[in-house]
PDB file of all heavy atoms in Angstrom:
ATOM      1  N   ARG A 159     130.069 134.045 197.036  1.00 74.00           N
ATOM      2  CA  ARG A 159     129.064 134.698 197.851  1.00 74.00           C
ATOM      3  C   ARG A 159     128.572 133.785 198.986  1.00 74.00           C
ATOM      4  O   ARG A 159     128.446 132.575 198.816  1.00 74.00           O
ATOM      5  CB  ARG A 159     127.898 135.165 196.989  1.00 74.00           C
ATOM      6  CG  ARG A 159     128.346 136.145 195.900  1.00 74.00           C
ATOM      7  CD  ARG A 159     127.187 136.723 195.117  1.00 74.00           C
ATOM      8  NE  ARG A 159     127.676 137.581 194.046  1.00 74.00           N
ATOM      9  CZ  ARG A 159     126.901 138.250 193.206  1.00 74.00           C
ATOM     10  NH1 ARG A 159     125.577 138.158 193.327  1.00 74.00           N
ATOM     11  NH2 ARG A 159     127.411 138.998 192.234  1.00 74.00           N
ATOM     12  N   VAL A 160     128.265 134.424 200.095  1.00 80.00           N
ATOM     13  CA  VAL A 160     127.798 133.701 201.282  1.00 80.00           C
ATOM     14  C   VAL A 160     126.276 133.764 201.401  1.00 80.00           C
ATOM     15  O   VAL A 160     125.606 132.798 201.746  1.00 80.00           O
ATOM     16  CB  VAL A 160     128.449 134.264 202.565  1.00 80.00           C
ATOM     17  CG1 VAL A 160     127.910 133.581 203.806  1.00 80.00           C
ATOM     18  CG2 VAL A 160     129.971 134.133 202.486  1.00 80.00           C
ATOM     19  N   LEU A 161     125.715 134.933 201.095  1.00 86.00           N
ATOM     20  CA  LEU A 161     124.286 135.176 201.269  1.00 86.00           C
ATOM     21  C   LEU A 161     123.515 135.061 199.956  1.00 86.00           C
ATOM     22  O   LEU A 161     124.048 135.378 198.890  1.00 86.00           O
ATOM     23  CB  LEU A 161     124.048 136.561 201.879  1.00 86.00           C
ATOM     24  CG  LEU A 161     124.712 136.881 203.217  1.00 86.00           C
ATOM     25  CD1 LEU A 161     124.329 138.305 203.651  1.00 86.00           C
ATOM     26  CD2 LEU A 161     124.327 135.873 204.264  1.00 86.00           C
ATOM     27  N   ALA A 162     122.280 134.645 200.077  1.00 85.00           N
ATOM     28  CA  ALA A 162     121.332 134.697 198.978  1.00 85.00           C
ATOM     29  C   ALA A 162     120.171 135.545 199.453  1.00 85.00           C
ATOM     30  O   ALA A 162     119.492 135.202 200.421  1.00 85.00           O
ATOM     31  CB  ALA A 162     120.861 133.296 198.594  1.00 85.00           C
ATOM     32  N   VAL A 163     119.944 136.674 198.792  1.00 86.00           N
ATOM     33  CA  VAL A 163     118.921 137.636 199.206  1.00 86.00           C
ATOM     34  C   VAL A 163     117.833 137.695 198.160  1.00 86.00           C
ATOM     35  O   VAL A 163     118.076 137.786 196.966  1.00 86.00           O
ATOM     36  CB  VAL A 163     119.543 139.046 199.372  1.00 86.00           C
ATOM     37  CG1 VAL A 163     118.466 140.066 199.762  1.00 86.00           C
ATOM     38  CG2 VAL A 163     120.650 139.015 200.444  1.00 86.00           C
ATOM     39  N   SER A 164     116.585 137.604 198.634  1.00 84.00           N
ATOM     40  CA  SER A 164     115.427 137.776 197.759  1.00 84.00           C
ATOM     41  C   SER A 164     114.485 138.751 198.396  1.00 84.00           C
ATOM     42  O   SER A 164     114.562 139.074 199.583  1.00 84.00           O
ATOM     43  CB  SER A 164     114.737 136.432 197.510  1.00 84.00           C
ATOM     44  OG  SER A 164     114.335 135.829 198.727  1.00 84.00           O
ATOM     45  N   VAL A 259     112.873 141.693 203.011  1.00 88.00           N
ATOM     46  CA  VAL A 259     114.076 140.950 202.671  1.00 88.00           C
ATOM     47  C   VAL A 259     114.003 139.540 203.221  1.00 88.00           C
ATOM     48  O   VAL A 259     113.627 139.325 204.392  1.00 88.00           O
ATOM     49  CB  VAL A 259     115.324 141.653 203.231  1.00 88.00           C
ATOM     50  CG1 VAL A 259     116.585 140.842 202.928  1.00 88.00           C
ATOM     51  CG2 VAL A 259     115.454 143.062 202.667  1.00 88.00           C
ATOM     52  N   SER A 260     114.350 138.574 202.411  1.00 84.00           N
ATOM     53  CA  SER A 260     114.511 137.187 202.866  1.00 84.00           C
ATOM     54  C   SER A 260     115.968 136.777 202.620  1.00 84.00           C
ATOM     55  O   SER A 260     116.468 136.871 201.497  1.00 84.00           O
ATOM     56  CB  SER A 260     113.565 136.241 202.107  1.00 84.00           C
ATOM     57  OG  SER A 260     113.765 134.903 202.510  1.00 84.00           O
ATOM     58  N   ILE A 261     116.644 136.363 203.691  1.00 85.00           N
ATOM     59  CA  ILE A 261     118.069 136.028 203.590  1.00 85.00           C
ATOM     60  C   ILE A 261     118.266 134.538 203.830  1.00 85.00           C
ATOM     61  O   ILE A 261     117.734 133.976 204.781  1.00 85.00           O
ATOM     62  CB  ILE A 261     118.903 136.830 204.607  1.00 85.00           C
ATOM     63  CG1 ILE A 261     118.844 138.324 204.257  1.00 85.00           C
ATOM     64  CG2 ILE A 261     120.340 136.365 204.617  1.00 85.00           C
ATOM     65  CD1 ILE A 261     119.664 139.196 205.180  1.00 85.00           C
ATOM     66  N   GLY A 262     119.020 133.919 202.979  1.00 84.00           N
ATOM     67  CA  GLY A 262     119.390 132.515 203.117  1.00 84.00           C
ATOM     68  C   GLY A 262     120.839 132.327 202.757  1.00 84.00           C
ATOM     69  O   GLY A 262     121.543 133.279 202.386  1.00 84.00           O
ATOM     70  N   ALA A 263     121.303 131.104 202.827  1.00 86.00           N
ATOM     71  CA  ALA A 263     122.690 130.790 202.465  1.00 86.00           C
ATOM     72  C   ALA A 263     122.803 130.584 200.960  1.00 86.00           C
ATOM     73  O   ALA A 263     121.942 129.929 200.346  1.00 86.00           O
ATOM     74  CB  ALA A 263     123.149 129.551 203.205  1.00 86.00           C
ATOM     75  N   ALA A 264     123.818 131.149 200.349  1.00 86.00           N
ATOM     76  CA  ALA A 264     124.049 130.951 198.920  1.00 86.00           C
ATOM     77  C   ALA A 264     124.400 129.506 198.596  1.00 86.00           C
ATOM     78  O   ALA A 264     124.064 128.987 197.525  1.00 86.00           O
ATOM     79  CB  ALA A 264     125.145 131.890 198.416  1.00 86.00           C
ATOM     80  N   HIS A 265     125.046 128.836 199.535  1.00 87.00           N
ATOM     81  CA  HIS A 265     125.460 127.443 199.348  1.00 87.00           C
ATOM     82  C   HIS A 265     125.085 126.653 200.624  1.00 87.00           C
ATOM     83  O   HIS A 265     125.958 126.258 201.411  1.00 87.00           O
ATOM     84  CB  HIS A 265     126.962 127.348 199.094  1.00 87.00           C
ATOM     85  CG  HIS A 265     127.415 128.193 197.948  1.00 87.00           C
ATOM     86  ND1 HIS A 265     127.257 127.806 196.635  1.00 87.00           N
ATOM     87  CD2 HIS A 265     128.009 129.418 197.916  1.00 87.00           C
ATOM     88  CE1 HIS A 265     127.744 128.748 195.834  1.00 87.00           C
ATOM     89  NE2 HIS A 265     128.200 129.729 196.584  1.00 87.00           N
ATOM     90  N   PRO A 266     123.778 126.405 200.842  1.00 86.00           N
ATOM     91  CA  PRO A 266     123.349 125.768 202.088  1.00 86.00           C
ATOM     92  C   PRO A 266     123.931 124.381 202.290  1.00 86.00           C
ATOM     93  O   PRO A 266     124.079 123.933 203.425  1.00 86.00           O
ATOM     94  CB  PRO A 266     121.825 125.738 201.946  1.00 86.00           C
ATOM     95  CG  PRO A 266     121.562 125.848 200.468  1.00 86.00           C
ATOM     96  CD  PRO A 266     122.643 126.724 199.970  1.00 86.00           C
ATOM     97  N   ILE A 277     122.787 132.666 209.567  1.00 81.00           N
ATOM     98  CA  ILE A 277     122.480 133.391 208.342  1.00 81.00           C
ATOM     99  C   ILE A 277     120.991 133.755 208.299  1.00 81.00           C
ATOM    100  O   ILE A 277     120.617 134.874 207.976  1.00 81.00           O
ATOM    101  CB  ILE A 277     122.867 132.567 207.089  1.00 81.00           C
ATOM    102  CG1 ILE A 277     124.400 132.486 206.987  1.00 81.00           C
ATOM    103  CG2 ILE A 277     122.257 133.153 205.828  1.00 81.00           C
ATOM    104  CD1 ILE A 277     124.893 131.566 205.908  1.00 81.00           C
ATOM    105  N   VAL A 359     122.793 143.432 195.923  1.00 93.00           N
ATOM    106  CA  VAL A 359     122.309 143.598 197.297  1.00 93.00           C
ATOM    107  C   VAL A 359     122.876 142.525 198.219  1.00 93.00           C
ATOM    108  O   VAL A 359     123.165 142.829 199.408  1.00 93.00           O
ATOM    109  CB  VAL A 359     120.761 143.608 197.337  1.00 93.00           C
ATOM    110  CG1 VAL A 359     120.193 142.243 196.938  1.00 93.00           C
ATOM    111  CG2 VAL A 359     120.258 144.050 198.692  1.00 93.00           C
ATOM    112  N   ASP A 360     123.057 141.280 197.756  1.00 92.00           N
ATOM    113  CA  ASP A 360     123.606 140.268 198.643  1.00 92.00           C
ATOM    114  C   ASP A 360     125.047 140.596 199.032  1.00 92.00           C
ATOM    115  O   ASP A 360     125.474 140.438 200.184  1.00 92.00           O
ATOM    116  CB  ASP A 360     123.496 138.871 198.034  1.00 92.00           C
ATOM    117  CG  ASP A 360     124.051 138.801 196.623  1.00 92.00           C
ATOM    118  OD1 ASP A 360     124.414 139.826 196.063  1.00 92.00           O
ATOM    119  OD2 ASP A 360     124.120 137.662 196.077  1.00 92.00           O
ATOM    120  N   GLU A 364     126.703 141.537 202.734  1.00 91.00           N
ATOM    121  CA  GLU A 364     127.866 140.792 203.215  1.00 91.00           C
ATOM    122  C   GLU A 364     129.004 141.735 203.592  1.00 91.00           C
ATOM    123  O   GLU A 364     129.789 141.421 204.498  1.00 91.00           O
ATOM    124  CB  GLU A 364     128.359 139.814 202.127  1.00 91.00           C
ATOM    125  CG  GLU A 364     127.500 138.617 201.884  1.00 91.00           C
ATOM    126  CD  GLU A 364     128.059 137.708 200.792  1.00 91.00           C
ATOM    127  OE1 GLU A 364     129.280 137.766 200.575  1.00 91.00           O
ATOM    128  OE2 GLU A 364     127.294 136.969 200.183  1.00 91.00           O
TER     129      GLU A 364
END
Side-chain angles (χ1 to χ4, degrees):
R159 300 186 184 181
V160 176
L161 303 181
V163 178
S164 58
V259 178
S260 177
I261 294 181
H265 305 281
I277 289 173
V359 67
D360 51 353
E364 286 180 24

